[in-house]
Amino acid sequence: MLTAPAMTFREWTGPLTADLVREPAKFGLGQVPSRLLPDATTKAVCGFCSTGCGLNIHLKDGAAINLTPDPDYPVNLGTACPKGWEALSVLDAPDRARMPLLHGKEVDWDTALRYFCDQMKRILDQHGPEAAAFLSTGQIMFEEMAFLGALAKFGMGMIHGDGNTRQCMATAVTAYKESFGFDAPPFTYADFEESDVLVFIGANPCIAHPIMWQRVLKNKRQPEIIVVDPRTTETAMAASQHYAIKPKSDLTLLYGLAHLLIRDGGVDQSFVEAHTNGFDAFAAFVAAFTPERVSAESGISIERLLRFAKIIREGKAVSFWWTMGVNQGHQATRTAQAIINLALMTGNIGKPGTGANSITGQCNAMGSRLFSNTTNLFGGHDFKNPKHREKISLAMGIPVDRIPDRPSLAYDQIIAAADAGTVKAIWFVATNPSHSWIDQNEMNRILDKLDFLVVQDMYCSTETAKRAHLVLPAAGWGEKEGCFINSERRIGYSPKVRRAPGQSLADFHIFRLIAHYWGCGEKFREWQTPEAVFRVLQRCSEGQPCEITGIEGYDMIRQHGGVQWPAKMTNDEWRMTNERRLFEDGKFFTEDQRAKFCFDEPVVPPEQRCAEFPLILMTGRGTSAQWHTETRTGKSAVLAKMVPEELMLDLNPEDAAKLGVRDGQRVRVISKRAELTALTRLTGCVKPGEVYLPMHDAQVNQLTHASFDPLSRQPSYKYSTVRVEWEKESIPLF
Ligand SMILES: Nc1nc2c(c(=O)[nH]1)N[C@H]1C(S)=C(S)[C@@H](COP(=O)(O)OP(=O)(O)OC[C@H]3O[C@@H](n4cnc5c(=O)[nH]c(N)nc54)[C@H](O)[C@@H]3O)O[C@H]1N2
Ligand SMILES: Nc1nc2c(c(=O)[nH]1)N[C@H]1C(S)=C(S)[C@@H](COP(=O)(O)OP(=O)(O)OC[C@H]3O[C@@H](n4cnc5c(=O)[nH]c(N)nc54)[C@H](O)[C@@H]3O)O[C@H]1N2
Ligand code: SF4
Ligand SMILES: [Mo]
């Protein structure tokens, strides 16, 4: 028997022989890199949320045994939330995918890869390049995501592939692109500490970004903190002002604030004249948004509207922050742009403590936005532009005729195409849409129609993996290396610190093997290691706002405490500081370097309350211990203690009284699409007529109404209508 050399797949740069695939252990696959000392501490960036906290990983005998927050990392300054603390323990679970599964049966990699390639080739050959698609994530390393985008499109010849960032970030992307000329969130986390007024719109950082919230708490200016959220969230409770607007009335409210700022002399005329376009038309448009109208439509009193506008007007450094309460809506892009408009008209951009700031969600959401090759060509380029195709072809060494001349369909359009039968195969990588996609029963009906459904995941038990024809077992965070780009555009590095279970492989290596089996390995000759791919992506970024050519490799990222983009080779200023914001020179990324005011008339959400469904259902995060579809966090005994045992429906006591329902009682929650049962939690945190369910329960998206922002095609998860019925047999539990 051969013994394993002390080598990892990372260090394996030889040809991918069939032997390597059949007996990966022979090649030391899955071992911890030999360059880590056996008993030492190494640094990693957390693989859950987009905050991107630095963690110290403690090793014994070459394997990770524990972790602590990194006191020196510029993001979290020695703190971490419960998910970060538990990041290692969730990796040990009996339902980890250890071997490829073909129709539910374990097979070796060779069989799985041959099957994958045969099926995909058959479908693409018979039905053309639009017949197969991939859907992926903001949760794998950005080198991996880039590999997937390149392999699927340039190697395998697909046209369509999108990220689950569509569920999450598409609105911010579309809004920034149109307003600023590039997908460019301008802020740095120091802005949390340097603001006099922080306005959070549709964001609940106490739960969703607790370490960002810690940065807010470090603000020594006694800032005014304003929260705009229909619910009295944990963040709203901690704020100095809470505007509990009617769901989805944000657009009207924001136009109303612009109206008052113009009326009362709150406009920074010199900034507007020097750096923006379209202000006069915008001012004429918001003239109709009188305090009376806005008050009636948003449910906020005129007096409080005036107060809100006054705080913005008088604030020295005002920052605006938004998350899913904005991005997930039927007019989401215009709402995000209405926030951008407020920052522009008051000159609150490009200075410390300011900005129109979209907080991202997943650890690599920003990386997936710019380097996934889905809706934009690598590095924020345009598939439709022949010069851009030529540039990327040169940067990557890929023949230009392999680069599609159009961007991908959006996620929902790929699913619609699957329903219509034009898309016949979908390859899901690191996402669990059978749980997380909107109007879930419809999604699952369509998934079951596919000729070929592939799921590449850490766990074989996910709702989507259970429906798959083929499951490819993936290593998770800590079991592979690569980088993430966090909310403040910081590229952070995460090493491999433990062995992946069974024969599961890093996504990176799964892509390498597929390239080899497909017969296009030659095209990816240079793509031997994540760091090599990092260099390819650096070349793609040249001349773009997200340029990263100045980063000298992983060592520099680690030593620096992460590096924010842009980091140009030709400019040394960024080396001096670890906190940088964009637009300090007032120059935007549009052709004439001016930002643009974008706006539209508000319209009502597509699904309206009626006698049969009289309540508005909002959904979102539940606790800081739960992550999305709970495949990872659900495995931790520590986190489980922080989470209610059953699904809880937040219901206002007034509605409960009308229904004759008590606290802790089992009820049926019914929408036009489905019904589920939950226990009531009577709380004034939701207004009468509104209810809330956390998205972490597998049934919740059975209820949601599939509507989309027409510009970003992001699902509107936060507005559906339901009714609540009393379960007669139920006995109140407490
Ligand atoms: N613990 C934990 N943290 C996470 C995640 C997780 O699953 N668990 N996921 C990560 C990801 S990917 C993301 S995208 C972020 C999401 O982070 P957030 O967007 O902060 O979280 P959500 O709870 O989805 O939504 C925020 C708020 O929007 C409000 N809202 C609903 N409708 C409206 C409306 O019409 N107007 C306004 N103004 N607000 C509205 C909801 O009441 C909710 O409080 O969290 C990240 N962090
Ligand atoms: N009702 C409602 N629904 C929502 C939302 C909402 O607010 N309300 N929010 C939406 C938002 S913002 C988001 S971001 C989505 C999230 O939706 P999903 O992306 O579907 O949720 P996750 O549970 O994070 O799924 C990630 C999957 O990848 C796997 N995984 C983790 N790491 C790796 C890895 O390294 N490699 C591989 N191959 N697999 C890995 C995990 O096991 C898991 O199955 O949900 C959306 N759905
Ligand atoms: S805040 Fe986000 S990045 Fe930081 S430890 Fe928690 S999950 Fe990880
Ligand atoms: Mo998200």
Side-chain angles (χ1 to χ4, degrees):
M1 227 180 93
L2 282 167
T3 49
M7 174 197 291
T8 65
F9 207 160
R10 179 182 183 278
E11 290 154 326
W12 175 259
T13 51
L16 291 160
T17 61
D19 245 14
L20 168 66
V21 176
R22 281 196 207 101
E23 289 184 70
K26 226 159 69 176
F27 293 83
L29 228 154
Q31 303 240 332
V32 174
S34 47
R35 68 196 161 94
L36 290 181
L37 294 174
D39 294 311
T41 295
T42 189
K43 290 179 186 300
V45 166
C46 176
F48 282 104
C49 90
S50 64
T51 307
C53 295
L55 304 170
N56 282 328
I57 314 249
H58 310 291
L59 307 165
K60 189 165 175 32
D61 300 330
I65 49 159
N66 205 348
L67 58 79
T68 47
D70 182 351
D72 302 322
Y73 203 67
V75 165
N76 50 318
L77 317 168
T79 53
C81 87
K83 294 183 297 304
W85 281 101
E86 282 295 284
L88 285 170
S89 71
V90 304
L91 298 172
D92 293 312
D95 59 343
R96 280 297 299 268
R98 284 157 203 275
M99 291 289 290
L101 298 176
L102 181 57
H103 301 296
K105 292 212 169 56
E106 284 191 0
V107 293
D108 60 21
W109 272 107
D110 187 50
T111 310
L113 292 165
R114 279 180 208 285
Y115 190 82
F116 177 90
C117 292
D118 286 352
Q119 291 299 311
M120 286 292 189
K121 280 194 170 162
R122 178 183 59 78
I123 288 167
L124 290 168
D125 288 350
Q126 280 176 11
H127 304 284
E130 301 203 43
F134 67 90
L135 287 167
S136 191
T137 189
Q139 287 178 74
I140 54 177
M141 271 94 184
F142 97 124
E143 298 85 345
E144 295 184 318
M145 189 61 221
F147 204 156
L148 172 60
L151 169 65
K153 293 198 173 182
F154 308 157
M156 298 165 68
M158 291 184 200
I159 306 278
H160 303 305
D162 202 3
N164 78 341
T165 18
R166 179 73 57 184
Q167 284 150 281
C168 183
M169 305 307 341
T171 292
V173 175
T174 322
Y176 279 140
K177 268 191 177 168
E178 195 182 8
S179 298
F180 292 165
F182 197 79
D183 175 17
F187 62 100
T188 187
Y189 293 158
D191 289 321
F192 285 124
E193 294 165 33
E194 292 169 8
S195 259
D196 298 300
V197 179
L198 296 104
V199 185
F200 289 93
I201 306 165
N204 188 11
C206 285
I207 294 296
H209 298 97
I211 302 305
M212 289 193 205
W213 185 251
Q214 294 288 316
R215 296 291 298 262
V216 175
L217 296 180
K218 282 186 189 290
N219 187 318
K220 295 200 175 71
R221 298 162 188 247
Q222 296 191 306
E224 191 82 59
I225 301 175
I226 301 180
V227 168
V228 179
D229 195 310
R231 299 187 304 134
T232 310
T233 59
E234 296 76 359
T235 314
M237 288 178 204
S240 45
Q241 300 269 327
H242 174 212
Y243 290 83
I245 55 166
K246 291 186 188 167
K248 295 291 157 239
S249 65
D250 306 68
L251 195 52
T252 306
L253 171 78
L254 294 161
Y255 290 153
L257 291 171
H259 173 109
L260 288 172
L261 286 164
I262 294 168
R263 190 192 79 177
D264 299 337
V267 177
D268 182 340
Q269 290 294 352
S270 61
F271 184 88
V272 167
E273 274 160 35
H275 303 296
T276 69
N277 280 329
F279 179 69
D280 291 345
F282 178 63
F285 171 77
V286 296
F289 290 81
T290 59
E292 293 72 22
R293 169 179 171 187
V294 174
S295 173
E297 290 178 22
S298 67
I300 305 297
S301 70
I302 292 178
E303 190 198 349
R304 294 203 71 216
L305 288 175
L306 298 179
R307 177 149 185 213
F308 197 162
K310 183 166 183 270
I311 295 170
I312 297 177
R313 204 174 66 232
E314 293 178 353
K316 281 196 208 73
V318 184
S319 56
F320 299 88
W321 307 86
W322 83 85
T323 322
M324 291 310 118
V326 170
N327 280 1
Q328 297 169 343
H330 67 291
Q331 276 190 303
T333 301
R334 291 297 183 235
T335 309
Q337 288 171 327
I339 299 171
I340 293 173
N341 294 348
L342 286 181
L344 291 174
M345 68 192 281
T346 55
N348 274 302
I349 195 133
K351 292 180 287 206
T354 66
N357 305 328
S358 145
I359 301 174
T360 58
Q362 307 165 85
C363 48
N364 189 41
M366 192 72 232
S368 140
R369 277 155 76 158
L370 289 170
F371 292 97
S372 64
N373 212 30
T374 51
T375 45
N376 64 69
L377 184 56
F378 285 117
H381 289 93
D382 183 357
F383 280 103
K384 286 184 278 188
N385 183 327
K387 286 206 184 95
H388 285 188
R389 293 201 297 275
E390 192 69 41
K391 180 178 164 190
I392 296 302
S393 151
L394 282 173
M396 291 203 153
I398 298 273
V400 74
D401 60 6
R402 296 298 302 176
I403 303 183
D405 58 5
R406 64 206 140 120
S408 167
L409 288 178
Y411 201 128
D412 69 299
Q413 294 164 331
I414 292 175
I415 300 304
D419 195 19
T422 48
V423 165
K424 296 182 181 299
I426 305 185
W427 174 19
F428 289 100
V429 181
T431 183
N432 185 14
S434 281
H435 175 149
S436 61
W437 189 251
I438 201 158
D439 191 1
Q440 191 192 94
N441 290 337
E442 191 55 9
M443 174 64 156
N444 288 334
R445 181 187 64 77
I446 297 168
L447 291 185
D448 289 345
K449 282 171 71 170
L450 287 169
D451 282 3
F452 190 39
L453 169 57
V454 186
V455 168
Q456 185 167 317
D457 204 287
M458 288 168 66
Y459 301 95
C460 53
S461 57
T462 72
E463 290 86 357
T464 319
K466 282 191 200 144
R467 313 185 103 81
H469 302 120
L470 179 67
V471 177
L472 301 176
W477 172 90
E479 297 165 346
K480 56 183 178 179
E481 73 165 350
C483 294
F484 299 127
I485 310 186
N486 80 353
S487 268
E488 52 164 2
R489 313 179 315 282
R490 185 179 302 276
I491 301 167
Y493 170 81
S494 194
K496 174 171 177 170
V497 290
R498 54 170 267 152
R499 201 191 169 106
Q503 289 203 9
S504 59
L505 293 177
D507 295 286
F508 188 84
H509 295 307
I510 299 177
F511 301 141
R512 269 185 86 200
L513 287 169
I514 290 175
H516 175 72
Y517 272 70
W518 194 270
C520 62
E522 259 308 285
K523 285 200 184 75
F524 300 100
R525 229 181 6 254
E526 198 184 340
W527 302 49
Q528 300 280 345
T529 61
E531 195 164 9
V533 172
F534 187 86
R535 284 192 288 273
V536 174
L537 297 176
Q538 284 184 296
R539 296 202 296 267
C540 293
S541 73
E542 203 175 336
Q544 290 295 91
C546 61
E547 182 166 338
I548 49 171
T549 49
I551 300 176
E552 280 145 28
Y554 283 176
D555 283 343
M556 181 179 201
I557 296 174
R558 290 191 311 190
Q559 282 151 20
H560 230 78
V563 180
Q564 288 171 296
W565 66 255
K568 297 185 190 186
M569 187 128 72
T570 49
N571 172 349
D572 268 344
E573 267 170 46
W574 62 271
R575 290 171 214 265
M576 314 299 166
T577 162
N578 224 337
E579 291 280 359
R580 286 173 304 124
R581 63 186 61 78
L582 302 178
F583 312 129
E584 284 182 324
D585 56 1
K587 290 184 182 148
F588 293 87
F589 299 123
T590 50
E591 248 165 52
D592 61 3
Q593 301 191 324
R594 287 163 169 270
K596 187 174 159 196
F597 283 88
C598 305
F599 51 90
D600 254 333
E601 197 61 51
V603 295
V604 294
E607 187 168 75
Q608 285 292 301
R609 276 186 282 199
C610 58
E612 202 184 346
F613 302 106
L615 300 165
I616 295 168
L617 169 68
M618 293 176 287
T619 63
R621 274 72 202 158
T623 67
S624 62
Q626 287 164 293
W627 181 258
H628 297 158
T629 71
E630 286 269 72
T631 62
R632 285 193 279 170
T633 41
K635 307 293 153 47
S636 151
V638 174
L639 298 179
K641 291 200 182 103
M642 304 166 75
V643 172
E645 275 174 27
E646 285 206 52
L647 176 62
M648 307 294 287
L649 173 82
D650 286 356
L651 179 71
N652 187 277
E654 252 180 56
D655 289 327
K658 277 192 220 153
L659 291 161
V661 165
R662 275 180 286 176
D663 196 30
Q665 187 165 343
R666 190 173 306 285
V667 289
R668 294 161 66 202
V669 189
I670 305 164
S671 81
K672 248 182 220 152
R673 295 152 288 280
E675 69 171 78
L676 53 76
T677 64
L679 297 184
T680 55
R681 177 163 56 194
L682 302 197
T683 168
C685 293
V686 288
K687 298 196 289 297
E690 297 164 18
V691 292
Y692 185 80
L693 285 173
M695 63 161 298
H696 313 294
D697 185 280
Q699 303 170 82
V700 167
N701 272 318
Q702 293 180 9
L703 301 178
T704 46
H705 175 241
S707 62
F708 301 87
D709 172 64
L711 302 174
S712 71
R713 306 241 37 98
Q714 182 159 341
S716 175
Y717 286 109
K718 294 200 168 8
Y719 197 106
S720 311
T721 64
V722 293
R723 72 170 177 273
V724 171
E725 281 182 10
W726 183 38
E727 273 271 272
K728 292 205 173 53
E729 316 77 69
S730 85
I731 305 158
L733 292 183
F734 46 85

